Amino acid sequence: MSDQIRITLPDGSVREYPNGVTSLEIALSISEGLARNVLAAKVNGTVQDATRPITTDAAVTLLTWNDTEGKATFWHSSAHLLAEALEELYPGIQFGIGPPIEKGFYYDVDLNGQHFSQEDFKKVEDKMLELARQKQEFIRQPISKAEAVAYFEKKSDPYKLDLLERLEDGTISFYTQGNFTDLCRGPHIPHTGFIKAVKLMNVAGAYWRGDEKNKMLTRVYAVTFPKQKELDDYLHLLEEAKKRDHRKLGKELELFAFSEKVGAGLPLWLPKGTMLRERLENFLRKAQVRAGYQQVVTPHIGSKQLYVTSGHWEKYGEDSFKPILTPEAGEEFLLKPMNCPHHCEIYKTKPRSYRDLPLRLAEFGTVYRYEQSGELHGLTRVRGFTQDDAHIFCRPDQVKEEFIKVIDLVLYVFKSLGFDDYSAQISLRDPENKQKYIGSDELWEKAEAAIIEASAERGLRTVTELGEAAFYGPKLDFMVRDALGRKWQLGTIQVDYNLPERFELEYTGSDNQKYRPVMIHRAPFGSMERFIAILIENSGGNFPLWLSPDQIAVLPISEKYEDYSNEVFLTLQESDIRGYVDHRDEKIGRKIRDSELNKVPFMLILGEKEQAEGRVSVRKKGEGDIGSMTIDEFVAFFQNEIKPVAKAV
Ligand SMILES: [Zn+2]
Ligand SMILES: [Zn+2]
């Protein structure tokens, strides 16, 4: 064993340290401030305790709260702290698992009949903070399986024993902080003192190992932070998110509704929601016409045989809506789970030559997939939804160009709708396991290179994931971050070698030989339902002017100005400006307030003076009075306001 080891830091610099140095000591040698913030370290690609000795040359990344893995370690350690607090308060409690999650962590516990509810949260939070202040160190101890089993037998914790059964001797470790010891692989933060703010969020039931045959445990959700201010900000964000919840706003703004009688997960689009949705569709339709797409319409059902050919029967048949029978024996139809098979059949309606490609078929196609009732959520998880679908049939040498065109279209959509913070994931084959994919090596290599190059040429911020491709082709998925910093998955572009094969699609090449086209599935919105849900949450219902269901509200001060109001409204309608006249017998203040609540962008107030001069007094939502104009002036002003949609592709 050499006395010195070489440590490579992320900036490429190499430093020498004594063998056995810890990441924390490395941090300390750089700066004390850094050392105070180090939660864990990535050593040669593996996240481990910052206090663990390093005994070989290694690449070391110090992890802090700003790193995803640092956060996960912080929250996982907080789960241990929660368990320690619960054990002190509820003796005899047994523990399942306590992992970090996207935001915070949970611990599944068996309280053995002891009562636990929201009223107990404060007590647990206080205990956690008290233990945190003791700066209890997390101490790792490798342990033999026999000793570990003996420990949990003595403690009589059946869940840990169940977990241990599946672990191999020699890979097992305990972590102890204060009076609490847990079976755990780690890693952990150096001590509990890093945890400065604690909030229990929720309590729910959860079957042990997710199996309903097992006992129902209590899942305690919580979140912790290294600073009180971060917890305050987070709670504020949650409040904001609640206000923007698309289910709440959808109801208030009368965009959509659900009816038990119609059925769970089947949205009813109300007039205003339909207006919004149609504007979005028309917007994309126009952009697609410019990009060379042709619109098609196909039925909502198809014969079962169609989906047997496409493979969707195999994929969705058992777990989705059952076939529809007809009076004719043996005849079976399925609600369509995908539009692609129908489009393949459109491709086959006539012989295609290499000169006809690419063929781009677009459809706002409604599909139906069964989701369990517990999975349904507003417009984001439904049982019937409309995809802004299209299929591009092209030659292998056209894949890159088509990808670039689709990326341009997707970015145009994002920019027009105010999603400025987006990124994309490139999903490629698992190079170690090529046999599980359909299509030749050559095709895959070409398509993968095409996606990578197209993304680079368009300057996309991407991450590449190996092994994340579907068995039938590589893909590019877009993610946006909304106004509250939440991440949503949106549109996708997907190469497919499978369906052209299954449907025996062909085109005639310049050499008169038959070839298979490549199929690209793409949907910039994903689905209209999901996209509108995200749009509502991102904008808080304050849609861009061109999308607002009601763009103006005409507000007569009294019924004396009813005729003038109608006249103004008709003129605006002729200029394609949408809205309503508020004829109610209400005070003008009330009318203004209600228009603001309905998030109408412009209010036109009409009284004596306006009528006499043939003018309108304009109020802008959130800004107030912006002056008096003639109707023509307002129309011109409005057209100018509505214009800044992103430059068309
Ligand atoms: Zn653990
Ligand atoms: Zn498709």
Side-chain angles (χ1 to χ4, degrees):
M1 209 157 96
S2 69
D3 301 345
Q4 294 283 313
I5 52 172
R6 292 162 62 80
I7 299 296
T8 311
L9 295 167
D11 65 0
S13 66
V14 179
R15 296 177 178 224
E16 291 220 343
Y17 290 95
N19 194 329
V21 70
T22 68
S23 307
L24 207 52
E25 287 161 352
I26 294 172
L28 201 57
S29 77
I30 299 169
S31 96
E32 226 169 284
L34 177 60
R36 267 200 300 278
N37 289 311
V38 168
L39 299 173
K42 203 187 241 177
V43 179
N44 287 334
T46 307
V47 182
Q48 62 177 48
D49 302 336
T51 50
R52 204 155 160 187
I54 303 169
T55 53
T56 57
D57 289 351
V60 173
T61 306
L62 300 166
L63 301 173
T64 69
W65 179 249
N66 297 324
D67 302 290
T68 312
E69 288 144 320
K71 272 199 185 81
T73 307
F74 187 89
W75 281 329
H76 178 65
S77 303
S78 303
H80 283 229
L81 181 66
L82 168 65
E84 185 184 0
L86 287 171
E87 196 167 51
E88 278 206 16
L89 296 168
Y90 303 89
I93 188 173
Q94 294 160 336
F95 294 99
I97 53 165
I101 51 179
E102 164 107 41
K103 205 79 204 184
F105 56 94
Y106 66 78
Y107 220 121
D108 283 346
V109 297
D110 185 343
L111 285 142
N112 278 315
Q114 299 176 84
H115 176 81
F116 181 76
S117 69
Q118 299 245 351
E119 293 100 73
D120 304 303
F121 283 8
K122 177 82 174 55
K123 184 170 72 181
V124 176
E125 288 163 10
D126 289 346
K127 177 58 83 181
M128 284 174 75
L129 286 171
E130 176 195 323
L131 297 169
R133 279 192 294 268
Q134 293 171 10
K135 298 191 178 170
Q136 301 172 347
E137 278 176 45
F138 284 92
I139 298 158
R140 183 175 187 276
Q141 177 199 357
I143 192 161
S144 73
K145 189 164 178 170
E147 279 176 287
V149 168
Y151 178 86
F152 284 109
E153 268 175 355
K154 185 158 169 250
K155 207 183 164 193
S156 72
D157 195 326
Y159 309 106
K160 294 294 175 189
L161 287 168
D162 189 19
L163 291 172
L164 267 169
E165 228 168 75
R166 290 154 220 246
L167 295 180
E168 250 175 67
D169 207 358
T171 65
I172 301 170
S173 58
F174 277 4
Y175 272 85
T176 300
Q177 95 273 9
N179 292 323
F180 181 75
T181 297
D182 207 349
L183 168 68
C184 180
R185 188 183 303 127
H188 281 289
I189 59 178
H191 61 77
T192 58
F194 284 84
I195 301 164
K196 293 272 178 20
V198 171
K199 184 85 186 157
L200 264 57
M201 302 301 292
N202 198 5
V203 51
Y207 292 108
W208 173 238
R209 292 193 171 280
D211 184 342
E212 55 191 280
K213 287 197 237 38
N214 290 336
K215 186 166 179 186
M216 170 88 83
L217 303 183
T218 303
R219 179 166 293 179
V220 185
Y221 288 94
V223 68
T224 52
F225 291 92
K227 281 192 187 118
Q228 181 62 37
K229 168 142 193 339
E230 291 206 38
L231 173 60
D232 296 343
D233 289 349
Y234 176 63
L235 294 178
H236 175 73
L237 192 84
L238 285 186
E239 276 305 305
E240 259 317 288
K242 229 189 253 169
K243 275 190 233 154
R244 289 163 179 252
D245 189 321
H246 75 276
R247 294 168 300 177
K248 177 173 166 284
L249 283 172
K251 202 177 204 171
E252 287 170 9
L253 300 176
E254 296 181 23
L255 300 174
F256 59 88
F258 288 93
S259 142
E260 256 174 56
K261 247 199 181 123
V262 172
L266 299 169
L268 300 172
W269 288 87
L270 305 178
K272 286 184 185 183
T274 305
M275 205 141 39
L276 170 67
R277 178 179 160 140
E278 281 182 348
R279 289 210 182 128
L280 270 177
E281 286 187 6
N282 289 338
F283 156 75
L284 187 58
R285 217 174 250 141
K286 253 195 211 159
Q288 285 180 167
V289 168
R290 283 196 298 267
Y293 289 77
Q294 293 168 286
Q295 205 73 27
V296 295
V297 175
T298 67
H300 288 231
I301 64 174
S303 92
K304 179 178 157 186
Q305 206 44 51
L306 177 70
Y307 303 106
V308 170
T309 303
S310 70
H312 291 119
W313 169 249
E314 212 180 313
K315 183 161 179 231
Y316 292 103
E318 266 313 296
D319 300 318
S320 196
F321 292 109
K322 298 295 167 206
I324 302 162
L325 305 180
T326 75
E328 196 154 320
E331 196 174 45
E332 288 181 279
F333 291 92
L334 271 189
L335 283 168
K336 74 173 165 189
M338 293 277 221
N339 301 303
C340 348
H342 292 74
H343 292 187
C344 287
E345 286 299 300
I346 291 180
Y347 181 93
K348 288 184 85 166
T349 52
K350 66 178 195 186
R352 310 282 176 181
S353 110
Y354 69 99
R355 276 192 233 99
D356 302 330
L357 303 183
L359 177 71
R360 308 181 190 94
L361 301 178
E363 176 176 16
F364 288 94
T366 305
V367 296
Y368 301 90
R369 296 177 199 165
Y370 180 77
E371 300 273 0
Q372 290 185 351
S373 51
E375 302 284 314
L376 298 173
H377 181 90
L379 289 182
T380 56
R381 282 296 274 277
V382 285
R383 286 173 172 166
F385 55 94
T386 303
Q387 297 177 310
D388 54 323
D389 212 356
H391 296 97
I392 301 167
F393 301 88
C394 66
R395 304 189 305 259
D397 64 288
Q398 293 171 320
V399 170
K400 179 177 164 187
E401 202 186 324
E402 288 309 303
F403 251 83
I404 288 182
K405 285 190 170 161
V406 181
I407 292 173
D408 285 345
L409 188 67
V410 170
L411 297 188
Y412 168 64
V413 167
F414 287 178
K415 282 179 187 147
S416 302
L417 292 161
F419 294 109
D420 300 320
D421 188 355
Y422 52 81
S423 59
Q425 176 178 319
I426 302 174
S427 298
L428 305 178
R429 252 186 331 179
D430 176 358
E432 308 290 310
N433 201 358
K434 288 186 181 171
Q435 65 283 3
K436 74 175 200 200
Y437 303 92
I438 183 172
S440 72
D441 260 1
E442 194 200 337
L443 279 176
W444 270 85
E445 273 155 29
K446 233 190 212 155
E448 292 188 340
I451 296 177
I452 294 167
E453 286 167 27
S455 308
E457 275 177 37
R458 282 304 182 256
L460 281 183
R461 188 150 49 90
T462 57
V463 287
T464 302
E465 295 289 348
L466 297 178
E468 285 292 306
F471 77 92
Y472 52 80
K475 62 176 175 169
L476 184 66
D477 292 310
F478 288 86
M479 255 82 66
V480 295
R481 221 177 252 285
D482 73 7
L484 298 186
R486 298 171 299 178
K487 250 188 174 177
W488 301 84
Q489 204 203 308
L490 278 183
T492 173
I493 319 175
Q494 170 114 46
V495 178
D496 187 349
Y497 300 116
N498 182 41
L499 285 185
E501 199 66 42
R502 282 179 169 260
F503 280 88
E504 299 176 332
L505 305 184
E506 294 179 338
Y507 68 90
T508 308
S510 55
D511 56 0
N512 255 330
Q513 300 291 307
K514 297 286 187 201
Y515 295 96
R516 284 257 184 275
V518 180
M519 192 170 172
I520 298 173
H521 311 251
R522 47 104 283 183
F525 293 149
S527 82
M528 299 311 292
E529 283 73 11
R530 201 178 132 77
F531 188 78
I532 289 173
I534 297 166
L535 196 61
I536 293 171
E537 303 220 354
N538 186 49
S539 65
N542 296 301
F543 302 112
L545 186 55
W546 64 278
L547 269 182
S548 287
D550 289 317
Q551 298 164 323
I552 51 126
V554 178
L555 312 179
I557 286 177
S558 81
E559 60 185 21
K560 272 204 296 192
Y561 312 108
E562 203 160 294
D563 289 346
Y564 180 53
S565 296
N566 289 337
E567 193 190 309
V568 168
F569 185 61
L570 276 177
T571 316
L572 296 179
Q573 270 192 319
E574 277 162 24
S575 303
D576 258 344
I577 299 173
R578 304 278 168 243
Y580 60 89
V581 186
D582 189 343
H583 282 307
R584 293 175 306 162
D585 183 20
E586 294 283 358
K587 291 238 160 56
I588 188 69
R590 172 72 190 272
K591 289 183 181 180
I592 292 174
R593 214 165 39 249
D594 287 350
S595 299
E596 293 252 355
L597 279 178
N598 289 330
K599 304 187 191 284
V600 181
F602 290 103
M603 287 156 259
L604 307 182
I605 297 160
L606 308 184
E608 183 72 53
K609 189 161 172 274
E610 286 77 13
Q611 178 169 291
E613 295 174 3
R615 298 175 79 88
V616 295
S617 284
V618 185
R619 278 182 77 91
K620 192 172 180 180
K621 178 174 50 90
E623 287 181 23
D625 193 8
I626 55 170
S628 148
M629 305 179 196
T630 66
I631 301 174
D632 285 348
E633 279 167 357
F634 176 72
V635 170
F637 167 79
F638 184 94
Q639 311 293 20
N640 193 49
E641 286 278 303
I642 208 166
K643 221 186 284 157
V645 172
K647 208 169 112 279
V649 280

